[in-house]
Amino acid sequence: MSIKNFVQTWSGSEIKDYNKEDRIIDIYDNMYDIVEFYITKGHNKKHVDTVNKLYRIMCSDKFISSIEKMIKKKSEYPLIPEMAIVISDLVDRRNKELGEENVEFYVGVVDKLLKPRVKEISAKVELPKMLITETLVVLPDVQLIDPKYIPIYVSKALRKMYILANMLGKEEIEKMSTKDLKRLFKQIFGKEDFNTVLLSIALERRDFVRNFNDVQLLMWSKLSELLLSELEDMKKKSLKNFLYDYIERREFNYKKNNDYARRIDFLGLENEEGMEKIYKVAKNIAEKDNKLERFLH
């Protein structure tokens, strides 16, 4: 059954003829289709109607009572961990519709689904479990998506980090090492796509922080520290390629009248200690083609 058929069945009168076991089996049989659809097409405006219908189904008593059975330890039809991304977004976007009790239930479901993976990552990084969970829930399995969509999920993960900063507090954020943040991003998005993570961090708009409090600014600074330390450690050729990829993205936005100042002023690093390589490579690019200078500020 396709996602459209699933949504049609659960939105129509047909579901009334299903008993509880039928509903559980139907969810179980369609879990992968639901996750695949949500991850690959859920952010596309063309599919807003299907996503909204899916959310309404997941808010229904019939669906929730089915999930209650499926999440039990010895369930014959267990939920897959990847369902956490759909459930987490549902809670974020439909918490009023769900009500306090169902929100609490679904949050517990997400924690239970992600617990083994959180435990695995926690053994490799010294970061708060809350941060690992909230970042992991953005993308429980990177294999499910086309690499070109990874920036979308990196941006979602970064937004969660800024929101979470207030709950973690200044001391917890100060204790975070850039090495552990690097390990976390590699665990979630894959080692081969770590440069994509760095590019997404670099492309965040500078004015994004205008309403940040001190704790959120600290998280922003921690991510900037990660970005700059990784770029400075790159070989010159790799760094040059990275900056050209960065410029390409900014040029694309510029042609659409949608370019803004970004996180780092690369040509403003001239007097920054430890940033000599980044500055020199950026300056060299600007001197070779002065039209590119605007994108390096």
Side-chain angles (χ1 to χ4, degrees):
M1 185 186 290
S2 69
I3 181 66
K4 287 187 177 180
N5 288 337
F6 176 82
V7 167
Q8 186 176 354
T9 297
W10 279 75
S11 299
S13 59
E14 188 178 344
I15 197 66
K16 294 177 182 177
D17 297 327
Y18 283 38
N19 59 36
K20 183 169 282 190
E21 187 174 356
D22 291 335
R23 295 197 299 269
I24 289 171
I25 292 171
D26 196 47
I27 294 170
Y28 183 79
D29 287 344
N30 286 281
M31 285 187 299
Y32 285 99
D33 287 337
I34 290 170
V35 172
E36 185 181 12
F37 161 78
Y38 193 81
I39 289 179
T40 60
K41 298 176 181 177
H43 53 270
N44 192 315
K45 290 180 181 178
K46 293 179 181 178
H47 301 285
V48 169
D49 186 53
T50 303
V51 170
N52 286 335
K53 285 178 180 177
L54 178 61
Y55 281 163
R56 282 196 291 274
I57 289 165
M58 294 176 71
C59 289
S60 70
D61 291 339
K62 284 184 171 63
F63 191 92
I64 290 170
S65 65
S66 301
I67 298 299
E68 282 177 328
K69 292 287 186 183
M70 296 176 77
I71 203 64
K72 289 187 183 299
K73 198 168 187 178
K74 294 182 179 180
S75 173
E76 190 178 350
Y77 304 101
L79 284 177
I80 55 173
E82 292 78 13
M83 277 294 289
I85 184 175
V86 190
I87 295 170
S88 180
D89 278 3
L90 170 75
V91 170
D92 287 344
R93 299 178 186 184
R94 295 290 189 274
N95 57 79
K96 288 183 180 178
E97 188 178 340
L98 278 167
E100 190 175 335
E101 188 177 334
N102 287 334
V103 165
E104 189 176 333
F105 165 71
Y106 269 139
V107 168
V109 171
V110 169
D111 286 343
K112 196 167 184 178
L113 290 174
L114 296 182
K115 190 175 180 180
R117 188 82 170 99
V118 170
K119 186 177 180 181
E120 179 189 341
I121 296 175
S122 293
K124 299 173 183 177
V125 301
E126 292 184 17
L127 292 171
K129 284 190 177 181
M130 188 189 300
L131 179 71
I132 296 170
T133 302
E134 288 300 313
T135 311
L136 180 62
V137 78
V138 168
L139 191 61
D141 186 354
V142 72
Q143 303 301 322
L144 288 168
I145 67 166
D146 188 309
K148 68 182 179 182
Y149 294 127
I150 286 179
I152 293 172
Y153 291 94
V154 176
S155 295
K156 287 177 71 173
L158 296 176
R159 286 197 297 272
K160 276 188 172 285
M161 285 183 166
Y162 301 132
I163 294 169
L164 198 60
N166 289 320
M167 298 173 69
L168 292 173
K170 183 179 178 182
E171 289 184 13
E172 283 285 3
I173 296 170
E174 284 177 336
K175 284 192 296 185
M176 291 180 195
S177 73
T178 55
K179 286 184 179 179
D180 279 332
L181 285 171
K182 177 181 178 178
R183 290 189 191 105
L184 175 62
F185 283 125
K186 283 189 172 182
Q187 283 291 316
I188 294 171
F189 298 103
K191 293 178 182 179
E192 62 280 1
D193 286 306
F194 182 59
N195 268 15
T196 303
V197 174
L198 293 177
L199 188 59
S200 297
I201 293 172
L203 285 164
E204 283 202 294
R205 287 169 49 169
R206 209 174 298 167
D207 63 2
F208 188 58
V209 304
R210 64 183 179 274
N211 295 319
F212 275 16
N213 58 35
D214 290 345
V215 184
Q216 290 172 313
L217 284 171
L218 186 59
M219 180 66 85
W220 173 274
S221 297
K222 190 67 72 170
L223 290 165
S224 296
E225 183 185 341
L226 168 66
L227 170 66
L228 290 171
S229 63
E230 288 299 311
L231 295 185
E232 188 65 20
D233 283 345
M234 284 183 183
K235 292 180 180 179
K236 282 187 178 180
K237 185 177 180 181
S238 298
L239 176 55
K240 185 178 178 181
N241 289 338
F242 179 91
L243 289 177
Y244 272 119
D245 287 342
Y246 170 83
I247 289 167
E248 184 180 354
R249 289 285 300 277
R250 289 199 58 181
E251 275 189 307
F252 176 80
N253 288 323
Y254 178 70
K255 288 173 183 176
K256 292 181 173 290
N257 296 314
N258 193 34
D259 189 42
Y260 300 86
R262 306 297 169 139
R263 179 186 288 268
I264 304 296
D265 178 355
F266 291 107
L267 292 174
L269 296 174
E270 183 175 7
N271 300 313
E272 293 291 328
E273 187 178 348
M275 301 292 115
E276 293 83 7
K277 188 193 297 182
I278 301 173
Y279 171 71
K280 284 179 183 177
V281 173
K283 184 183 178 185
N284 184 258
I285 290 172
E287 286 176 344
K288 283 187 175 180
D289 188 346
N290 59 19
K291 294 194 299 293
L292 303 183
E293 182 177 341
R294 65 173 293 124
F295 303 117
L296 291 166
H297 276 299

